[in-house]
Each structure stands twice: as structure tokens, then as C-alpha cells.
């Protein structure tokens, strides 16, 4: 299930998008302010952001700037009442991937979302790299420096999720949803167990740690 983050201070718009996108099979998170949206994006990285431009506190343009600084590839769609051509040009030039004007038709917005997600999938590199770690999803192969790393299927999926979101703190809940499935019923300590196993295999050749624990928050793929 792909995850969409909606950042908008209009409860009616948020309610409509939550219901509609959930019905279409997406996982939906919502934030009523730019600051809250940035926090949610750090805690549970989305696949796409629907962002309002006019909000109290941090406006949409500043939120977009900060999202882009953290992840240059994250699709961001502006959904806004600012309908002047100069506003649309400014939003696209600031880095938004699309610009939809309120009031809007949900079906058209949904088509734009699907188009952005398809484009992201096409543009995503088939081989993922971080530091000296290489993961090839097609070949189901992982290497660290000059050494191959043998992983189980779940270990591979877990590492793949980290490598899709390098330097982002991923919560246990996020990892359970993405790796084990949203309907997983069991002990959340399974994430700790698999992270420990994954570390042991990645560090078997004496390589430095890349999977870091952020106490009380989750785990992050980053160099020490």
C-alpha cells in the first residue's frame, strides 16, 4: 500500500481526501499545519505529498523547500486556491511536481496522483546504493564493498525499505506496515530481531555500522 501524506488546514478537504484515497487503497496520513506535516514526513516517509500553499505558520512553499532538502525525489503535488498563472509558475519552479487548483474534482486529482507515482516508479534507479552498500532488487542481490551478503526474503525487504529512504528515521510501525504488511498481527519486537540480524550480516566483514538506532524513534540508514 502506497503512503500519501496530506498537509492542509481545511478539515473538509482533508476529510474528503482521507476517505477517497483510503477507498482507492492508499495509506493516508494527514497534518493540519506545515510543521506537523514535516514531522510526519520524517517519522513515516510518504510516497507522495499533497500540499496546500496557504497555511498558518509555515506556508506551503517553505514546507516544499524543506521536503525537497530531505528528499529530492519525493513527489509533491500542490493543491491550492491560488489560481493565478504566476502562482502556478512559482509553485512549479519551486520544485512541485504538479499543481491542482481548488475547487477540484477528486477523479482528476486521483489521476494526477497516479501519474506522479508511475513516473516515480519509472525514474527510480533499479540498483540502490548507499555508502559501500549495493542492493539490486531485480537480481535479489546485496553486497557490501567487495563482499556479497546473503539475506533471507524478509531481511532483503527490510534493507530495501531502508535504502529507499536513506537518512530518514523509520519507525517500527512504518517498517511493520511496509515489510510485514498492514494486517500483520504479532509482537512489534520482531522488527528489533530482524534489524539485529541484518546488522550482523552487513557488518560480518568488519564494515562500520550503517543501521543506527534512534532511541524512542526507530532506525535510520546513515553513516556513523
Amino acid at each position: 500500500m502506497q503512503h500519501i501524506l496530506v498537509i492542509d488546514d481545511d478539515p473538509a478537504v482533508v476529510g474528503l481526501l482521507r476517505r477517497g484515497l483510503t477507498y482507492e487503497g492508499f495509506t493516508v496520513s494527514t497534518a493540519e499545519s506545515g510543521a506537523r506535516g514535516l514531522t510526519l514526513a520524517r517519522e513515516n516517509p510518504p510516497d507522495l505529498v499533497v500540499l496546500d500553499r496557504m497555511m498558518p505558520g509555515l506556508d506551503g512553499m517553505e514546507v516544499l523547500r524543506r521536503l525537497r532538502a530531505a528528499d529530492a525525489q519525493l513527489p509533491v503535488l500542490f493543491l491550492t486556491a491560488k489560481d493565478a498563472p504566476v502562482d502556478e509558475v512559482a509553485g512549479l519552479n519551486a520544485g512541485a511536481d504538479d499543481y491542482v487548483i481548488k475547487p477540484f474534482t477528486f477523479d482528476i486529482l486521483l489521476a494526477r496522483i497516479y501519474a506522479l507515482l508511475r513516473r516515480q516508479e519509472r525514474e527510480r534507479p533499479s540498483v540502490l546504493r548507499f555508502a559501500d552498500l549495493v542492493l539490486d532488487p531485480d537480481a535479489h542481490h546485496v553486497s557490501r564493498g567487495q563482499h556479497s551478503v546473503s539475506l533471507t526474503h524478509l531481511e532483503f525487504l527490510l534493507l530495501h525499505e531502508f535504502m529507499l529512504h536513506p537518512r530518514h528515521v523509520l519507525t517500527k510501525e512504518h517498517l511493520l506496515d511496509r515489510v510485514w504488511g498492514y494486517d500483520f498481527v504479532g509482537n512489534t519486537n520482531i522488527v528489533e530481531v530482524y534489524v539485529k540480524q541484518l546488522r550482523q550480516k552487513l557488518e560480518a566483514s568488519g564494515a562500520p555500522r550503517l543501521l543506527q538506532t534512534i532511541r524512542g524513534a526507530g532506525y535510520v540508514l546513515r553513516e556513523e
Side-chain angles (χ1 to χ4, degrees):
M1 297 176 68
Q2 290 174 300
H3 174 212
I4 295 180
L5 172 60
V6 177
I7 307 175
D8 198 308
D9 65 336
D10 185 336
V13 170
V14 170
L16 171 63
L17 293 183
R18 182 190 292 113
R19 291 190 301 272
L21 293 172
T22 300
Y23 179 80
E24 292 295 328
F26 294 102
T27 298
V28 182
S29 300
T30 63
E32 72 288 347
S33 69
R36 177 61 179 159
L38 290 171
T39 298
L40 291 181
R42 286 194 299 270
E43 293 177 349
N44 188 8
D47 295 297
L48 181 142
V49 174
V50 177
L51 176 64
D52 188 18
R53 274 194 63 172
M54 296 184 290
M55 294 181 291
L58 292 177
D59 69 3
M61 296 289 274
E62 178 61 19
V63 173
L64 174 62
R65 186 188 68 79
R66 298 190 188 189
L67 289 172
R68 279 280 169 266
D71 184 352
Q73 304 304 315
L74 174 66
V76 179
L77 181 150
F78 265 134
L79 181 61
T80 175
K82 293 180 73 68
D83 58 355
V86 65
D87 293 319
E88 183 172 356
V89 170
L92 295 172
N93 285 342
D97 296 282
D98 204 345
Y99 199 97
V100 176
I101 296 170
K102 299 176 181 177
F104 63 96
T105 301
F106 179 77
D107 287 345
I108 292 177
L109 177 68
L110 183 63
R112 300 283 189 91
I113 287 172
Y114 278 128
L116 289 178
L117 291 173
R118 286 194 300 269
R119 189 179 78 185
Q120 182 196 38
E121 193 64 31
R122 289 195 303 268
E123 294 176 352
R124 178 175 291 165
S126 58
V127 177
L128 302 175
R129 303 175 188 274
F130 184 84
D132 61 345
L133 186 59
V134 179
L135 182 148
D136 185 340
D138 294 333
H140 208 276
H141 181 263
V142 174
S143 62
R144 183 86 195 265
Q146 301 300 313
H147 303 274
S148 294
V149 181
S150 178
L151 300 180
T152 66
H153 179 63
L154 278 173
E155 290 168 348
F156 186 90
L157 293 178
L158 182 60
L159 180 59
H160 186 257
E161 188 63 24
F162 279 114
M163 294 193 71
L164 287 176
H165 306 288
R167 302 185 182 87
H168 281 245
V169 177
L170 304 185
T171 64
K172 286 183 180 180
E173 291 74 18
H174 172 92
L175 294 169
L176 281 171
D177 180 41
R178 294 306 184 88
V179 177
W180 281 266
Y182 72 97
D183 57 350
F184 172 79
V185 178
N187 194 332
T188 60
N189 288 337
I190 193 171
V191 177
E192 297 177 21
V193 172
Y194 271 82
V195 168
K196 181 179 179 180
Q197 292 175 183
L198 192 52
R199 280 177 176 154
Q200 290 174 342
K201 292 186 176 182
L202 294 178
E203 299 167 15
S205 61
R209 176 158 296 180
L210 291 178
L211 280 179
Q212 318 295 340
T213 299
I214 307 300
R215 193 172 300 277
Y219 306 94
V220 60
L221 179 69
R222 71 183 183 201
E223 295 171 291
E224 291 183 307

